[in-house]
Amino acid sequence: MRREPIVLFEKDGHQCLMFDDLVSGEGVQSNQFLIINDDQYLLLDPGGDLTYTPLSLGLSRYIEVQDLTYIFASHQDPDIIASLDKWLLHTRAKVICSKLWARFLPHLTANYLAINHGISTYDRIIALPDRGETFALGRSKLKAIPAHFLHSVGNFQLYDPLSKILFSGDMGASLVDDANPVNDFMNHVPNMLGFHRRYMASNKVCRLWAAMVRQMDIEMIVPQHGRPFVGKEMINTFLMWVENLECGLDLL
């Protein structure tokens, strides 16, 4: 297990860190992210019980975990936010998620939070409108980018204009055991193909997403599973693949 996270970006007090090797046993490899700016902290897609303890320990080397400002949940899957009750109990963080999932997240928390600790799950949630939203983290601005039906009906990606990183959730995910940048796209396609054909809704939504991303200033696309795409050329190659992908309803 790697002792330190991967530093995706670090400049002028703004940091983006990726924890990529915290899952052990039968769980699917996943990436968790910490963004730091001006003594405020955002944890992106923290996962479930498999990652809670090692992630907490990893975070504690960089921040006071109870001082987390935000937890961003791109969608509702267990590997995204199933450890919600622990984060609500042990931090003061607000949880940012789609308005579609805000009313369902209390199903992930136990009654003891309200009965024994006076914690209301719903009061800690910031529900995003479908169009997305820009919000402050310290002196920086982060953008919740709509990516609905990729693969969740209420799905958001997170764009960091300072680092020019798009944290893309399941778009671009690959079923591998590491998070090294992709360096041979064609050999990497088999790691993505089956997942994207099943989990993405249709070619239409993939094309719409790719067209949106082409208008953004992005240096890196980093999914929640597997390997990132780094540099304009690799990103463009990935977008061309996505635009031509038959998936979901196209195959029904």
Side-chain angles (χ1 to χ4, degrees), residues 87-132:
W87 294 108
L88 291 179
L89 179 60
H90 297 296
T91 79
R92 296 186 287 270
K94 294 280 190 176
V95 180
I96 303 172
C97 69
S98 166
K99 68 176 184 180
L100 296 183
W101 301 121
R103 58 183 175 165
F104 290 97
L105 288 188
H107 284 277
L108 298 176
T109 60
N111 285 336
Y112 78 89
L113 287 179
I115 296 172
N116 296 336
H117 301 281
I119 295 174
S120 166
T121 302
Y122 199 78
D123 288 345
R124 296 274 292 275
I125 291 174
I126 299 173
L128 292 170
D130 282 343
R131 67 179 181 277

Side-chain angles (χ1 to χ4, degrees), residues 196-203 245-252:
H196 284 72
R197 282 164 62 92
R198 182 61 187 256
Y199 282 90
M200 302 302 155
S202 68
N203 177 255
L245 180 70
E246 286 191 334
C247 56
L249 293 177
D250 307 321
L251 307 174
L252 190 63

Side-chain angles (χ1 to χ4, degrees), residues 22-41:
L22 303 182
V23 176
S24 60
E26 297 180 353
V28 175
Q29 183 275 347
S30 64
N31 304 319
Q32 297 79 40
F33 307 95
L34 177 68
I35 303 177
I36 301 173
N37 187 286
D38 197 23
D39 295 325
Q40 291 197 347
Y41 319 107

